[in-house]
Amino acid sequence: MLALGRRMGSAVQCALGLLTRVTPSASVLPQCSHSSSSSSNQRQQCLEEDLDPQQLALLEEPCILVDEADVPLGSASKRQCHLMHGGSSPLHRAFSVFLFNSAGELLVHRRAHTKITFPGHYTNTCCSHPLHTPRETIEEGALGVRNAAQRRLEFELGIPQEQARPGDFTYLTRIHYASPSDGMWGEHEMDYILFLQKDVTLNPNANEVEDVQYVKREDFERFLRGLQENNIPITPWFALIAQKFLPLWWKNLDTLDQFTDHHTIHHLLE
């Protein structure tokens, strides 16, 4: 197991290096007609004119603001939560789903190039946010987060809701991480890690997902190296989880309860 972890860690370190090299910088953002003396609001408006209309509309969704202990503080729009100010953005609640089929293969996907943060990056099954709504702010048993995961699996991957019910998810733990995407947008999230093992029906939303595939545990290192060789980056949260947690959890899908930790928040800030 330790050898497997070291091999996976090495592959993910390579992928992390790739992420650093190919993630778009501010210099490749769409060019604005405003002068360099324009206000930040004008520049933001200019850049948003080039965003995909569906993704632009989603920026109005209300996210859940939290502190570093994951205590809710209120709400802010998805736009406000992902705009970088002074090298950071507001901490908000999120989740990452890792879905495995009955053969133990992990479903991964490549984010559509229309996405605002980390477009074209490979990542885990589904990554999104619970919304500041009555259904998705239920704290008991992280039910609000589970409800959000069910909603987004259907929206992004076309998985029918009856195939991914809130009670089907295993809520393992939380990680706190931050990562810029480009000169304007970034992530700063309290990320709930949810595992699900089921055979599901897929009908990906092309505005969200460019590609999907199942990966065997023994092929995961090869998969990461293939991405590196083809200059395809992976998302920072996927890299962190794959490096620090995934090998052990993946090897023990039948006994995940032993790894459940709802008290610890893993602060993985650089």
Side-chain angles (χ1 to χ4, degrees):
M1 179 60 226
L2 289 176
L4 172 65
R6 283 194 294 270
R7 290 197 301 271
M8 278 195 178
S10 176
V12 175
Q13 287 289 355
C14 292
L16 276 167
L18 174 65
L19 184 150
T20 302
R21 291 197 301 273
V22 303
T23 297
S25 65
S27 63
V28 297
L29 290 171
Q31 294 298 308
C32 283
S33 59
H34 298 299
S35 69
S36 58
S37 61
S38 298
S39 70
S40 59
N41 287 338
Q42 287 176 314
R43 178 169 175 76
Q44 175 187 333
Q45 181 180 3
C46 174
L47 292 175
E48 288 191 10
E49 291 173 358
D50 294 301
L51 296 179
D52 174 84
Q54 292 184 47
Q55 295 295 325
L56 182 61
L58 292 174
L59 289 178
E60 302 304 322
E61 291 183 329
C63 293
I64 303 169
L65 295 175
V66 296
D67 64 16
E68 292 192 1
D70 194 30
V71 175
L73 300 175
S75 68
S77 70
K78 185 178 177 182
R79 173 187 285 103
Q80 293 170 315
C81 287
H82 292 84
L83 279 171
M84 301 285 289
H85 295 288
S88 185
S89 54
L91 178 59
H92 56 282
R93 196 170 281 176
F95 63 83
S96 289
V97 174
F98 290 75
L99 186 151
F100 303 83
N101 61 19
S102 57
E105 299 168 328
L106 172 63
L107 179 64
V108 298
H109 81 272
R110 189 175 189 184
R111 291 164 67 87
H113 278 79
T114 52
K115 297 288 285 184
I116 295 171
T117 59
F118 303 100
H121 287 53
Y122 259 96
T123 195
N124 50 288
T125 310
C126 180
C127 334
S128 190
H129 315 87
L131 302 182
H132 197 272
T133 63
R135 178 175 169 78
E136 298 187 8
T137 52
I138 302 172
E139 296 289 332
E140 185 176 359
L143 181 57
V145 174
R146 297 169 190 263
N147 287 336
Q150 180 190 43
R151 171 178 59 83
R152 289 297 298 192
L153 283 173
E154 182 179 44
F155 179 74
E156 295 185 18
L157 294 163
I159 298 175
Q161 291 200 6
E162 61 270 18
Q163 294 183 8
R165 300 184 185 279
D168 294 335
F169 296 98
T170 298
Y171 159 40
L172 286 171
T173 191
R174 292 165 290 178
I175 68 170
H176 172 203
Y177 79 95
S179 183
S181 178
D182 55 33
M184 180 173 175
W185 305 99
E187 299 283 6
H188 186 195
E189 297 185 329
M190 183 67 66
D191 196 14
Y192 283 62
I193 310 303
L194 305 176
F195 269 39
L196 173 67
Q197 185 168 18
K198 292 194 74 173
D199 293 322
V200 297
T201 303
L202 298 175
N203 183 23
N205 177 350
N207 193 255
E208 294 283 330
V209 175
E210 184 172 312
D211 180 54
V212 295
Q213 60 179 293
Y214 282 97
V215 180
K216 296 179 179 179
R217 182 166 61 91
E218 58 268 27
D219 292 338
F220 190 59
E221 179 185 10
R222 186 180 305 113
F223 165 72
L224 292 178
R225 292 194 184 281
L227 295 182
Q228 181 189 19
E229 291 168 0
N230 288 283
N231 234 26
I232 301 173
I234 66 175
T235 59
W237 61 88
F238 186 37
L240 287 169
I241 296 166
Q243 181 181 12
K244 295 181 177 295
F245 305 108
L246 185 58
L248 182 61
W249 292 342
W250 197 343
K251 190 178 182 180
N252 293 276
L253 288 179
D254 294 333
T255 57
L256 281 175
D257 286 346
Q258 66 180 307
F259 305 112
T260 298
D261 182 357
H262 298 169
H263 301 290
T264 303
I265 297 174
H266 303 273
H267 298 280
L268 305 178
L269 299 173
E270 297 180 357

